[in-house]
Amino acid sequence: MIEIELDGQKLTVPAGSMVMHAAEQAGTYIPHFCYHKKLSIAANCRMCLVDVEKAPKPMPACATPVTQGMIIRTKSEKALKAQQGVMEFLLINHPLDCPICDQGGECQLQDLAVGYGAGKSRYTEEKRVVFQKNVGPLISMQEMSRCIHCTRCVRFGQEIAGVMELGMAHRGEHAEIQTFVGRTIDSELSGNMIDICPVGALTSKPFRYSARTWELSRRKSISPHDSTGANLVVQVKGNRVMRVVPLENDAVNECWIADRDRFSYEALNSDQRLTQPMIKQGGAWKQVDWGTALEYVANGLKLIRAEHGAAAIGALGSAHSTVEELHLLAKLVRGLGSQNVDYRLRHSDFGNSAAAGQAHWLGLPIADLSQLDRALVVGSFLRKDHPLFALRLRQAARHGAQIMSIHASEDDWLMPVAARITAAPSSWLQALADVASAVAAANGVSAPMAGNASEAAQAIANALLSGQHKAVLLGNAAAQHPQASSLLSLANWIAAQTGASVGYLTEAANTVGAQLVNALPQQGGLNAAQMLGDAGLRGLLLLNTDPVLDSANAAAAAKALAGAEMVVVMSPFKTGLDYADVLLPTAPFTETSGTFVNAEGLAQSFVGVVKALGDTRPGWKILRVLGNLLALDGFGQDSSEQVRSEALGVDADLGARLSNAGSAQLQSASPSAIERLAELPIYASDLLVRHATSLQLSHDARQAAVASLPTALWEQLGLSEGSSVRITQDGAGAVQLPAKLDAKLPANVLRVPSGLPETAALGSIFGGLNVSKV
């Protein structure tokens, strides 16, 4: 520790700290533009010049290390004069367009110009102009004349997002920030550049010119998308969500959010919003009042129970729904006498579940992902499934962590991957067994399954046997895998032998919460695959889900829904128009109160930030009234807080209910001639993102419906650039997709995404495929 004096105050600061860090510790503000606590130091704006005793000239606080006995003055005449001089230079070429600038009112340059700038300019020459650039549907670079070259956006891309999409070209007065050879900005974290831009050079294209910052009310919320549980500030004007920005929480999302969290709000004001209950009569949709709609549903469920028994009724809820909604959905179905309730629409192995009332989880706090020395990620499209977890692991890799992968693709995670086993999905268990075999040999014990320690498996084993903080992380595809139980069992064995933790990255905002409230079949109830298979259910309740796009077998789901007597869709959007009988407008996360439990088991509650659109109602209220109409016990709650207490317990210790224990019989799978690898595209993951216009115009969304083929299959079919392929699956329909060569795919793997209308005619996401050239 080093003793210094800052503005007359004695301080003790760690050795190696910069003056800026010492000032932050003392609560002293030093003006700055290029410095950002999460980015490397560039020291190129010079706004943070301070007076250091015995130094011949002012020094930049962000790049000046503290020394023993250093005396610093931030408010002396020398410091203030230097800061005013820098401000004059910064404003020389800056356009005087504050009245129409989107950043006006929340602009660092504007604030500091008032505090440190002169009252008038001495500069009378012509100002430079930087021409606008189109970099995609999310970020606007219309006003790059405002740029002060702080390079925050460049450093964010390099250090946080992992891809340098912006850089500085030219020199002197010709210098400008631009993309490489006119490309668009396509990172799944790109919107954070808007937040860290200290001027109005980078702005939100969907939000641009729609409101002034002082017109907006700011309200806290939680992201309903992936399992990070990112903390949000939702900005509202006139009962309409206008913008979403991050709320800083270092333990969860730091100060970042994914573009999916930031721009999905556009769906809230979509013309596809369902605002009035609707009933299908004679094949035509008719708007009705809530009393009529709920009576129709209650009478229909009573009739089905009387004619076919309670077991002919089932419910499927999305894990993007709240704890309160999933608890009451399960309670309603059980109150009718059925155990058919599930949230695992995309799963294939339903034996892989925690004990009743417990939940599979991440296995460690989210913040600890940044501190790992070793991480083995099994079956995950990491960047697109979990952008903020990928960011954390990228930070760990920057500090020397070894990140390893077992998967069927070699997608660029934008971080160094120390070792990789690329194998068809049916071979993942064997690949993990090969790693276990190498670990067993090193530890002198017997492996639980026969394996052949290949060079890559040996490298993974050696890495896991070294290092202090280690984790084996199972991704969405591993959780959905037909051998999910075996993968978990083998991961647990490897972790026990190497001292690592085991965890699931978990799919959705409330996957852990769905398990804790038992939104799962019990006592012989049907699971999601059975309900959407040949079970012949007569009545189905769907909560925030479209099973044709959200299930593991789209073709089977469409057939099951078409065969049901009554399908009730509770959704914020007009979904399922071809198979539904009743549509009930359910409030999205901005219009209801509720709770999500994120991957680490942290329960985060939120309240509605705007009034419900039209006749929309919170999902928990719809289910409570339905329970009363069906004369079921336990549906007298007055608030979502009461439902939450009932679902999770009052001040319950959720940590005691989190467990990744599991054992299963380990047996290799039989591979198909051509296996399907089906990722869920990032902007097809849930109802909100599917209806968000700008996200659907992004590169990720536009390039989603493509079939990727390995080299041998590409050559066998005689394909070339621009070719299309026809894909069929046993027991399902056919689809036609543009073909793309992916030389890194295993020889027997065909990559065809799920969750898209273009591929909804196909069957199992882990099934065999037939392919031919169109």
Side-chain angles (χ1 to χ4, degrees), residues 48-70:
C48 63
L49 293 175
V50 293
D51 179 7
V52 178
E53 193 167 281
K54 296 183 181 174
K57 58 184 181 179
M59 306 291 284
C62 68
T64 303
V66 294
T67 56
Q68 182 64 37
M70 180 183 266

Side-chain angles (χ1 to χ4, degrees), residues 479-598:
Q480 296 158 3
H481 197 276
Q483 294 174 292
S485 302
S486 301
L487 288 170
L488 175 61
S489 184
L490 205 44
N492 274 320
W493 187 89
I494 292 170
Q497 291 293 321
T498 59
S501 66
V502 173
Y504 278 102
L505 295 172
T506 70
E507 294 170 51
N510 201 30
T511 299
V512 174
Q515 298 171 77
L516 293 175
V517 301
N518 276 326
L520 297 157
Q522 293 173 337
Q523 301 160 8
L526 301 177
N527 59 48
Q530 291 167 330
M531 284 189 257
L532 294 172
D534 298 326
L537 288 189
R538 304 293 180 151
L540 266 171
L541 299 170
L542 306 179
L543 176 64
N544 295 325
T545 183
D546 179 355
V548 176
L549 298 180
D550 291 334
S551 68
N553 191 322
K559 185 179 175 185
L561 290 164
E565 288 179 18
M566 185 172 76
V567 178
V568 180
V569 172
M570 291 174 272
S571 168
F573 301 98
K574 296 169 185 171
T575 53
L577 294 175
D578 49 348
Y579 58 73
D581 298 287
V582 187
L583 299 178
L584 302 178
T586 310
F589 78 109
T590 51
E591 297 169 22
T592 183
S593 53
T595 305
F596 293 134
V597 183
N598 71 0

Side-chain angles (χ1 to χ4, degrees), residues 212-539:
R212 305 310 308 242
T213 178
W214 52 85
E215 299 175 308
L216 302 173
S217 303
R218 289 159 176 78
R219 293 154 192 180
K220 297 177 184 178
S221 193
I222 304 296
S223 167
H225 302 299
D226 64 36
S227 57
T228 310
N231 290 207
L232 309 176
V233 174
V234 181
Q235 300 186 346
V236 175
K237 176 188 175 185
N239 201 46
R240 185 181 172 100
V241 175
M242 304 302 291
R243 185 166 60 168
V244 173
V245 295
L247 175 64
E248 189 169 343
N249 184 339
D250 263 351
V252 180
N253 57 299
E254 300 178 273
C255 56
W256 317 118
I257 54 174
D259 289 353
R260 179 166 54 186
D261 305 322
R262 183 184 302 273
F263 295 108
S264 65
Y265 75 87
E266 282 190 291
L268 302 169
N269 308 313
S270 158
D271 57 6
Q272 287 301 303
R273 277 293 302 271
L274 179 64
T275 58
Q276 186 81 20
M278 299 175 79
I279 294 175
K280 189 186 282 181
Q281 291 183 339
W285 285 101
K286 179 186 173 187
Q287 289 191 348
V288 295
D289 59 65
W290 272 104
T292 304
L294 292 174
E295 285 285 355
Y296 182 89
V297 173
N299 292 335
L301 291 173
K302 287 176 186 173
L303 194 62
I304 291 169
R305 182 173 61 175
E307 290 184 3
H308 307 285
I313 297 170
L316 294 164
S318 163
H320 298 282
S321 307
T322 64
V323 158
E324 292 80 359
E325 289 167 346
L326 290 167
H327 170 70
L328 289 182
L329 181 71
K331 189 173 183 177
L332 180 84
V333 173
R334 292 194 174 110
L336 287 167
S338 171
Q339 284 293 338
N340 306 333
V341 59
D342 210 345
Y343 74 92
R344 302 165 298 174
L345 280 82
R346 302 186 67 81
H347 286 220
S348 307
D349 177 3
F350 294 93
N352 182 39
S353 58
Q358 294 192 327
H360 290 326
W361 68 301
L362 185 60
L364 74 171
I366 288 172
D368 286 5
L369 290 173
S370 307
Q371 311 302 321
L372 290 173
D373 300 319
R374 308 283 185 268
L376 171 59
V377 183
V378 182
S380 176
F381 298 93
L382 184 64
R383 262 182 67 198
K384 305 302 181 183
D385 288 349
H386 301 95
L388 295 175
F389 290 171
L391 183 157
R392 293 268 189 187
L393 291 174
R394 199 171 293 124
Q395 288 174 353
R398 282 175 62 82
H399 296 123
Q402 294 183 31
I403 311 298
M404 298 154 291
S405 162
I406 295 176
H407 199 31
S409 74
E410 294 191 20
D411 289 352
D412 187 359
W413 289 354
L414 304 177
M415 67 183 91
V417 177
R420 192 191 293 271
I421 297 176
T422 307
S426 65
S427 301
W428 289 354
L429 184 64
Q430 189 58 55
L432 208 52
D434 293 346
V435 175
S437 180
V439 169
N443 288 352
V445 297
S446 299
M449 179 177 169
N452 175 29
S454 63
E455 188 178 335
Q458 190 67 56
I460 292 172
N462 292 344
L464 289 174
L465 286 162
S466 61
Q468 291 293 312
H469 306 291
K470 301 169 272 195
V472 180
L473 301 169
L474 299 164
N476 293 357
Q480 296 158 3
H481 197 276
Q483 294 174 292
S485 302
S486 301
L487 288 170
L488 175 61
S489 184
L490 205 44
N492 274 320
W493 187 89
I494 292 170
Q497 291 293 321
T498 59
S501 66
V502 173
Y504 278 102
L505 295 172
T506 70
E507 294 170 51
N510 201 30
T511 299
V512 174
Q515 298 171 77
L516 293 175
V517 301
N518 276 326
L520 297 157
Q522 293 173 337
Q523 301 160 8
L526 301 177
N527 59 48
Q530 291 167 330
M531 284 189 257
L532 294 172
D534 298 326
L537 288 189
R538 304 293 180 151

Side-chain angles (χ1 to χ4, degrees), residues 104-120:
E106 53 185 8
C107 170
Q108 272 181 269
L109 185 68
Q110 195 178 44
D111 295 342
L112 295 182
V114 170
Y116 299 88
K120 59 183 180 180

Side-chain angles (χ1 to χ4, degrees), residues 28-103:
T28 299
Y29 178 73
I30 297 175
H32 60 271
F33 292 114
C34 69
Y35 172 77
H36 189 282
K37 63 184 178 182
K38 297 289 184 183
L39 302 176
S40 62
I41 290 168
N44 56 4
C45 78
R46 317 309 278 183
M47 190 64 215
C48 63
L49 293 175
V50 293
D51 179 7
V52 178
E53 193 167 281
K54 296 183 181 174
K57 58 184 181 179
M59 306 291 284
C62 68
T64 303
V66 294
T67 56
Q68 182 64 37
M70 180 183 266
I71 298 173
I72 306 149
R73 301 180 186 92
T74 68
K75 303 288 191 291
S76 69
E77 186 181 349
K78 185 178 178 181
L80 291 175
K81 194 171 181 183
Q83 290 164 0
Q84 285 168 356
V86 170
M87 179 56 72
E88 185 171 26
F89 273 119
L90 285 174
L91 292 177
I92 273 179
N93 268 310
H94 198 76
L96 303 176
D97 61 352
C98 291
I100 58 104
C101 175
D102 253 7
Q103 206 90 320

